[in-house]
């Protein structure tokens, strides 16, 4: 698959995130603008193995920029973990005349794409689509901003009922390995405490903080907990511990779950997806491969996928400091 790119395949893989459709739209319309054929690959790597392809033109992506999820669907694919499965995928791409790929997904999707390129030399460019914002090489991933807005809106509503009944709410948000959602949404929603995997607050310090909140005159409190936080075994055990040691609090738990993935993407995510899609197509046309499109200092950048999947994002220490000050 060397030489001039004539047909680009685009697909989404892994967990869905708001902004994926906007990125698909951008890739398809960039191809149309540059007079290159574009093929939608349905159900990620599984669809690639099965040849589940559909030609896409500028009109086929009408009215999707505002939609959450992904019109190309996503699916788990154990077959792609095998050399035989990847050979089938390559054969299907060959038969369809696809000579370049844009993959929209997270580190697992990028890892598969990198292996595929090394084996078959298919040019690939990645677009980071994950609400966790845990991909190295970009300040923001697609869906992160929308997820934050969703979480803040929900916490605002929970606070209404918390203040009405003088309750303490533990709100669990997504973030198995990183606390970007919890930290940013917690500050934005005015949470009294924020528990994230990167900073082990400790049960005693949490109790001390909640005692201070009560003594300062707060009648209700919100504690935002990233699902990967290790302060307790889980958010329900955390609630029981606080109830046992601080019976003055009437505690409740709200696990936000998959609602954080859904919804219409924010303007920020729509614009970011549009910029990233254009850059991905341009990179393939320029003969580049194994790179991820990102944004840093408000400029669209390219980072080797190998670095993107091996690097680690860092929590914003300044935002942690702001959080501590705001909980006084």
């Amino acid at each position: 698959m060397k030489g001039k790119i004539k047909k680009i395949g685009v697909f989404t893989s892994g967990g869905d995130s708001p902004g994926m459709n906007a990125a698909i739209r951008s890739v398809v319309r960039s191809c149309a603008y540059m007079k290159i054929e574009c093929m939608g690959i349905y159900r990620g790597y599984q669809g690639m193995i099965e040849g589940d392809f559909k030609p896409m033109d500028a009109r086929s992506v009408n009215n999707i920029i505002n939609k959450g999820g992904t019109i190309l669907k996503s699916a788990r694919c154990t077959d792609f973990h095998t050399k035989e499965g990847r050979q089938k995928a390559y054969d299907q791409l060959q038969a369809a005349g696809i000579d370049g790929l844009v993959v929209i997904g997270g580190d697992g999707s990028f890892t598969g794409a990198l292996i595929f390129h090394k084996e078959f030399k298919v040019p690939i460019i990645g677009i980071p689509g994950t609400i966790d914002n845990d991909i190295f090489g970009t300040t923001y991933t697609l869906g992160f901003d929308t997820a934050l807005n969703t979480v803040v809106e929900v916490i605002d509503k929970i606070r209404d009922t918390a203040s009405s009944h003088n309750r303490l709410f533990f709100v669990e948000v997504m973030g198995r390995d990183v606390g970007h959602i919890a930290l940013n949404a917690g500050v934005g929603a005015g949470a009294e405490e924020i528990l994230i995997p990167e900073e082990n607050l400790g049960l005693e310090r949490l109790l001390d903080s909640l005692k201070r909140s009560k003594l300062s005159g707060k009648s209700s409190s919100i504690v935002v907990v990233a699902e990967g936080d290790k302060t307790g075994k889980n958010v329900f055990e955390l609630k029981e511990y606080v109830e046992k040691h601080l019976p003055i609090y009437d505690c409740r738990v709200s696990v936000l779950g998959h609602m954080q993935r859904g919804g219409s993407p924010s303007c920020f995510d729509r614009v970011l997806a549009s910029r990233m899609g254009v850059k991905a197509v341009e990179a393939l046309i320029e003969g580049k491969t194994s790179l991820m499109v990102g944004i840093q200092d408000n400029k669209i950048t390219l980072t080797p996928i190998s670095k993107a999947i091996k690097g680690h994002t860092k929590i914003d220490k300044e935002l942690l400091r702001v959080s501590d000050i705001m909980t006084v």
Side-chain angles (χ1 to χ4, degrees):
M1 290 193 176
K2 295 180 180 179
K4 188 176 184 297
I5 298 291
K6 296 178 181 177
K7 185 184 291 187
I8 290 174
V10 58
F11 65 101
T12 51
S13 177
D16 63 288
S17 65
M20 280 186 164
N21 281 328
I24 293 167
R25 173 181 179 269
S26 179
V27 170
V28 172
R29 292 199 168 174
S30 296
C31 286
Y33 181 82
M34 298 169 196
K35 297 184 172 23
I36 294 173
E37 290 184 73
C38 188
M39 192 76 79
I41 301 172
Y42 285 78
R43 297 178 295 116
Y45 291 114
Q46 189 65 44
M48 194 183 298
I49 289 172
E50 297 174 7
D52 192 0
F53 307 153
K54 182 179 179 181
M56 303 185 80
D57 59 22
R59 300 287 73 79
S60 67
V61 289
N62 283 351
N63 304 318
I64 70 167
I65 193 171
N66 60 316
K67 297 184 184 300
T70 163
I71 64 167
L72 292 179
K73 311 296 184 183
S74 186
R76 295 187 182 277
C77 183
T78 55
D79 290 341
F80 200 77
H81 294 167
T82 68
K83 180 66 180 288
E84 294 76 17
R86 294 190 293 272
Q87 181 66 57
K88 288 180 183 177
Y90 177 72
D91 293 342
Q92 294 284 11
L93 294 179
Q94 285 278 77
I98 297 172
D99 47 16
L101 292 171
V102 175
V103 51
I104 306 167
D107 55 0
S109 305
F110 291 165
T111 299
L114 201 58
I115 293 170
F116 192 60
H117 169 72
K118 287 178 179 177
E119 289 178 345
F120 301 104
K121 308 306 177 190
V122 180
I124 55 165
I125 297 293
I127 293 177
T130 168
I131 67 168
D132 289 331
N133 205 42
D134 59 350
I135 304 291
F136 180 80
T138 185
T139 308
Y140 302 108
T141 57
L142 289 185
F144 176 61
D145 184 71
T146 305
L148 285 184
N149 290 328
T150 298
V151 171
V152 168
E153 182 180 353
V154 172
I155 293 176
D156 285 348
K157 293 177 179 180
I158 289 174
R159 189 178 288 282
D160 289 343
T161 191
S163 59
S164 296
H165 297 275
N166 294 341
R167 284 174 176 158
L168 164 62
F169 266 85
F170 290 94
V171 182
E172 184 186 89
V173 302
M174 285 185 170
R176 191 169 53 246
D177 301 309
V178 293
H180 296 299
I181 292 177
L183 179 57
N184 284 269
V187 171
E192 278 65 39
E193 279 299 341
I194 301 166
L195 307 181
I196 57 177
E198 294 90 342
E199 297 281 325
N200 191 347
L201 183 65
L203 289 168
E204 294 310 311
R205 188 181 152 197
L206 174 62
L207 291 180
D208 289 342
S209 175
L210 293 173
K211 287 176 185 175
R212 287 196 304 272
S213 292
K214 202 71 171 177
L215 290 172
S216 70
K218 292 182 181 179
S219 60
S220 63
S221 291
I222 300 288
V223 177
V224 177
V225 185
E227 60 183 318
D229 175 68
K230 302 298 187 293
T231 305
K233 287 183 180 177
N234 57 59
V235 69
F236 295 99
E237 185 186 79
L238 206 56
K239 165 190 174 286
E240 291 172 3
Y241 184 87
V242 170
E243 281 182 326
K244 180 180 178 181
H245 291 85
L246 288 177
I248 53 174
Y249 275 110
D250 179 14
C251 301
R252 295 289 188 275
V253 170
S254 184
V255 179
L256 301 192
H258 284 80
M259 73 168 69
Q260 295 161 86
R261 289 192 187 278
S264 181
S266 64
C267 179
F268 180 88
D269 276 329
R270 297 183 198 192
V271 173
L272 181 60
S274 300
R275 295 176 71 184
M276 285 182 167
V278 171
K279 187 66 174 180
V281 173
E282 288 177 341
L284 283 174
I285 291 173
E286 291 166 4
K288 296 174 181 175
T289 186
S290 304
L291 299 171
M292 182 198 75
V293 182
I295 184 168
Q296 298 181 68
D297 297 325
N298 201 33
K299 289 183 172 58
I300 297 299
T301 59
L302 291 170
T303 299
I305 288 179
S306 57
K307 285 188 177 181
I309 58 181
K310 289 178 182 176
H312 298 283
T313 57
K314 294 181 179 179
I315 207 72
D316 188 338
K317 295 290 186 180
E318 174 63 16
L319 198 54
L320 274 175
R321 191 176 73 86
V322 169
S323 171
D324 288 339
I325 293 171
M326 291 298 103
T327 57
V328 67

